Amino acid sequence: MKKIVILTGAGISAESGIQTFRGAGGLWNGYNVMEVASPEGWAKNPALVLNFYNLRRADAAKAKPNQAHIALSKLEKKFNTLIITQNIDNLHEQGGSSHIMHLHGKLSEVKSVANDNIVYDIGDKPIQLGDTAEDGQQLRPNVVWFGEMVPMIAAAIEETATADIFIIIGTSLAVYPAASLLHYVPSSTPVYLIDPNEPDIYNPPTNFSFIQQKATEGVPMLVNKLLNKRPI
Ligand code: NAD
């Protein structure tokens, strides 16, 4: 079975009603991203950060997967398919995909501020200052903030380096190290990028196709093409 690796960003969930952040002028739902998604922001105002993620968690709980999330799950019929997502929502899971790597963590999870291995799934519930883990430490969202390590990046690079087809959907490719994955794609591997806006790509791959469409249009079209086309 050929292997497809798909890198997704906030744009794939935009048509499910979840805002992207670059699209909103560098703000994330009206907040300065560094105030709500960095260790410095957390040190300055943890209550604001918790409230921000409580709102995002509640929004995401109401969202439904769109035709792009659903179409990607169909690739599993014919391909060894892995989705590497920068998104913290669970719309790929709801859309039926089974192999998903959440590079930047999950909205539905919280962890101890003192121990990355003490993680709880809280679904769509809020957390407040004073809510603690079993080690007595404050709980925080289990998401990767700007300036923090991305624990899964090594595994993501390994998967990308063995992709037969690589697809990028709805990401500005402005957040590192996720954006650097593109440079690990083998040179013979076709790369498709679906986004209504063309991201600025330094040194684009040789076998590169830009599909200038919204995810709900471009993704089902590409999936149909890949499912019918032989050999790839
Ligand atoms: P980004 O906000 O920087 O870029 C969004 C991209 O999506 C842009 O290139 C834009 O042109 C494109 N886009 C907008 N509407 C689209 C549509 N209908 N179909 C396809 N593409 C569309 O997003 P990013 O590159 O993912 O980086 C944002 C960071 O913020 C990520 O690390 C992520 O963790 C976080 N974030 C996550 C969510 C989520 O979980 N849904 C939402 C906002 C931000």
Side-chain angles (χ1 to χ4, degrees):
M1 237 185 195
K2 297 248 184 197
K3 173 170 172 176
I4 296 194
V5 177
I6 304 149
L7 173 66
T8 66
I12 195 167
S13 296
E15 292 164 88
S16 292
I18 301 182
Q19 276 190 29
T20 64
F21 74 61
R22 306 277 150 179
L27 296 178
W28 190 356
N29 289 79
Y31 292 78
N32 173 331
V33 289
M34 294 313 279
E35 291 197 348
V36 294
S38 74
E40 294 78 12
W42 172 250
K44 190 171 141 202
N45 194 343
L48 175 87
V49 175
L50 291 182
N51 185 49
F52 172 78
Y53 285 97
N54 288 342
L55 294 170
R56 302 287 71 74
R57 201 176 294 116
D59 277 356
K62 283 183 248 148
K64 299 269 174 288
N66 63 46
Q67 289 310 311
H69 299 103
I70 293 165
L72 289 182
S73 70
K74 305 210 160 83
L75 288 171
E76 292 182 10
K77 282 189 248 161
K78 282 200 181 161
F79 297 95
N80 171 4
T81 309
L82 172 70
I83 297 175
I84 301 174
T85 187
Q86 297 167 83
N87 294 344
I88 53 180
D89 64 51
N90 70 354
L91 295 179
H92 284 302
E93 284 87 345
Q94 286 194 56
S97 289
S98 32
H99 305 291
I100 305 152
M101 193 184 277
H102 279 272
L103 217 49
H104 294 163
K106 295 182 183 177
L107 261 177
S108 60
E109 289 182 354
V110 294
K111 65 180 178 184
S112 159
V113 293
N115 188 337
D116 287 343
N117 297 317
I118 305 182
V119 174
Y120 306 97
D121 194 316
I122 57 163
D124 60 358
K125 295 194 184 62
I127 52 166
Q128 315 296 344
L129 276 185
D131 290 342
T132 53
E134 66 214 53
D135 60 356
Q137 299 288 327
Q138 175 64 43
L139 290 171
R140 59 159 273 185
N142 188 23
V143 299
V144 176
W145 288 331
F146 287 98
E148 293 188 318
M149 301 281 288
V150 178
M152 273 175 285
I153 195 68
I157 289 173
E158 210 172 291
E159 298 287 355
T160 300
T162 52
D164 296 304
I165 299 171
F166 194 75
I167 305 173
I168 304 169
I169 306 160
T171 168
S172 58
L173 293 172
V175 177
Y176 282 80
S180 65
L181 286 176
L182 182 55
H183 302 299
Y184 293 91
V185 178
S187 57
S188 56
T189 293
V191 176
Y192 300 90
L193 189 152
I194 299 169
D195 199 301
N197 303 298
E198 189 164 11
D200 200 7
I201 299 178
Y202 171 72
N203 203 2
T206 333
N207 202 345
F208 179 66
S209 309
F210 173 48
I211 301 166
Q212 188 158 20
Q213 283 184 353
K214 289 181 170 181
T216 56
E217 293 160 6
V219 177
M221 186 205 73
L222 178 62
V223 167
N224 281 337
K225 180 177 150 177
L226 294 172
L227 290 177
N228 298 326
K229 195 170 136 190
R230 283 170 179 275
I232 296 202

